[in-house]
Amino acid sequence: MLMNYSSATEFYLLGFPGSEELHHILFAIFFFFYLVTLMGNTVIIMIVCVDRRLQSPMYFFLGHLSALEILVTTIIVPVMLWGLLLPGMQTISLSACVVQLFLYLAVGTTEFALLGAMAVDRYVAGCNPLRYNIIMNRHTCNFVVLVSWVFGFLFQIWPVYVMFQLTYCKSNVVNNFFCDRGQLLKLSCNNTLFTEFILLMAVFVLFGSLIPTIVSYAYIISTILKKIPSSSGGRKSFSTCASHFTCVVIGYSSCLFLYVKPKQTQAADYNRVVSLMVSVVTPFLNPFFFTLRNDKVIEALRDGVKRCCQLFRN
């Protein structure tokens, strides 16, 4: 516990409650999730880059989404795994806390911007297929991805800077497995009203990318129902957007709970669970969403496995 006049130069991550045996079980589970996340998303990036059948805007965006999933889980999970192996609380310096929080928020912001772009891409493909290659050309796709990355990292500079201008004198124990900004606000002895207002800028990111997603899917569903009367044709068309829509639902619902609730400093246990969804579960599931429901990706994976087997045989 800190004295009232001093500010923390390091923090203690409380991590997960429970016994040492429980921590070892959680370590094994999360380590497995992390390895599968790395391998699954890396495989998607590789086949998107190598296979000619996947040289289209949809898979170009998917490759960048997989890269973002690798980043977001790598920013959080290794620190969390190390904390599960340590007895007691884990120490993290103030500078490391700043870097972790900034990268986590910046990568998340970039991911939401990219999900919005992917929704618009699906809209053009479903509602204006004849002009799809003209509208979503290589120059447009590169520009959209570049803007998403630059916007994501620039947007979070000011909120994170304001966040760490606060004085953390109530305590230096963070009730989470990473530098959660809601818990950091709880430790500050300053008036955090203005800071919370700054941090609610996340609302603009969420709804700024959610609006084109909702509008795009409204047009897609309307077009499918009007132009494809057969049930089999409708199911096929819906299935092309199902993977992206599933990721949108999980991602937005989790982050809306974390960052758009009235009080950032409450519900530490719920924050811990939802943070796990964002940083561990969703990156783990995304490769399965985009492979099990996509015939082209499955064919590319099957051909890749055959080529690898032939190389080993030779």
Side-chain angles (χ1 to χ4, degrees), residues 195-264:
T195 306
E196 291 197 51
F197 175 77
I198 294 287
L199 295 178
L200 282 177
M201 288 166 57
V203 175
F204 296 102
V205 177
L206 290 174
F207 286 100
S209 57
L210 183 59
I211 289 172
T213 301
I214 294 174
V215 173
S216 297
Y217 274 103
Y219 276 106
I220 290 170
I221 294 172
S222 176
T223 301
I224 290 173
L225 294 178
K226 289 179 180 178
K227 295 184 178 181
I228 308 178
S230 67
S231 59
S232 60
R235 282 196 299 270
K236 184 177 180 180
S237 300
F238 275 117
S239 66
T240 60
C241 303
S243 301
H244 175 262
F245 185 74
T246 304
C247 293
V248 167
V249 170
I250 294 176
Y252 279 100
S253 59
S254 300
C255 287
L256 281 172
F257 178 88
L258 276 176
Y259 301 123
V260 191
K261 60 182 186 295
K263 292 187 178 180
Q264 291 283 331

Side-chain angles (χ1 to χ4, degrees), residues 31-280:
F31 184 69
F32 170 75
F33 275 38
Y34 183 55
L35 288 182
V36 173
T37 298
L38 293 182
M39 291 187 293
N41 285 286
T42 301
V43 167
I44 289 179
I45 294 172
M46 292 177 60
I47 63 173
V48 166
C49 293
V50 172
D51 199 288
R52 293 182 178 179
R53 289 167 295 186
L54 304 182
Q55 301 301 310
S56 67
M58 174 184 174
Y59 300 106
F60 177 70
F61 292 141
L62 177 57
H64 281 271
L65 181 65
S66 295
L68 289 167
E69 296 289 21
I70 290 174
L71 286 175
V72 74
T73 193
T74 301
I75 292 165
I76 300 296
V77 174
V79 176
M80 178 184 69
L81 292 176
W82 181 244
L84 287 171
L85 291 178
L86 292 175
M89 293 182 290
Q90 181 182 9
T91 305
I92 184 170
S93 66
L94 178 63
S95 57
C97 192
V98 173
V99 171
Q100 185 187 52
L101 181 61
F102 172 73
L103 292 177
Y104 177 70
L105 295 176
V107 170
T109 303
T110 304
E111 187 169 346
F112 281 118
L114 191 61
L115 284 172
M118 292 176 73
V120 175
D121 171 72
R122 292 298 83 207
Y123 158 73
V124 177
C127 301
N128 207 343
L130 297 179
R131 299 186 60 195
Y132 178 69
N133 291 329
I134 299 175
I135 298 173
M136 301 301 296
N137 55 56
R138 182 176 293 275
H139 175 74
T140 301
C141 294
N142 288 332
F143 177 76
V144 168
V145 167
L146 178 62
V147 169
S148 297
W149 281 88
V150 172
F151 171 76
F153 279 78
L154 291 181
F155 185 85
Q156 293 296 341
I157 292 176
W158 175 244
V160 174
Y161 173 78
V162 172
M163 181 79 196
F164 285 96
Q165 294 306 302
L166 299 174
T167 301
Y168 299 101
C169 57
K170 291 183 179 178
S171 174
N172 57 350
V173 178
V174 179
N175 190 10
N176 212 327
F177 54 85
F178 74 108
C179 284
D180 177 22
R181 66 182 185 181
Q183 293 302 307
L184 289 173
L185 284 174
K186 190 175 181 180
L187 305 182
S188 174
C189 52
N190 301 102
N191 185 351
T192 61
L193 183 61
F194 175 72
T195 306
E196 291 197 51
F197 175 77
I198 294 287
L199 295 178
L200 282 177
M201 288 166 57
V203 175
F204 296 102
V205 177
L206 290 174
F207 286 100
S209 57
L210 183 59
I211 289 172
T213 301
I214 294 174
V215 173
S216 297
Y217 274 103
Y219 276 106
I220 290 170
I221 294 172
S222 176
T223 301
I224 290 173
L225 294 178
K226 289 179 180 178
K227 295 184 178 181
I228 308 178
S230 67
S231 59
S232 60
R235 282 196 299 270
K236 184 177 180 180
S237 300
F238 275 117
S239 66
T240 60
C241 303
S243 301
H244 175 262
F245 185 74
T246 304
C247 293
V248 167
V249 170
I250 294 176
Y252 279 100
S253 59
S254 300
C255 287
L256 281 172
F257 178 88
L258 276 176
Y259 301 123
V260 191
K261 60 182 186 295
K263 292 187 178 180
Q264 291 283 331
T265 58
Q266 293 182 352
D269 292 334
Y270 291 103
N271 280 3
R272 188 181 290 108
V273 173
V274 181
S275 297
L276 281 174
M277 286 291 297
V278 174
S279 59
V280 178

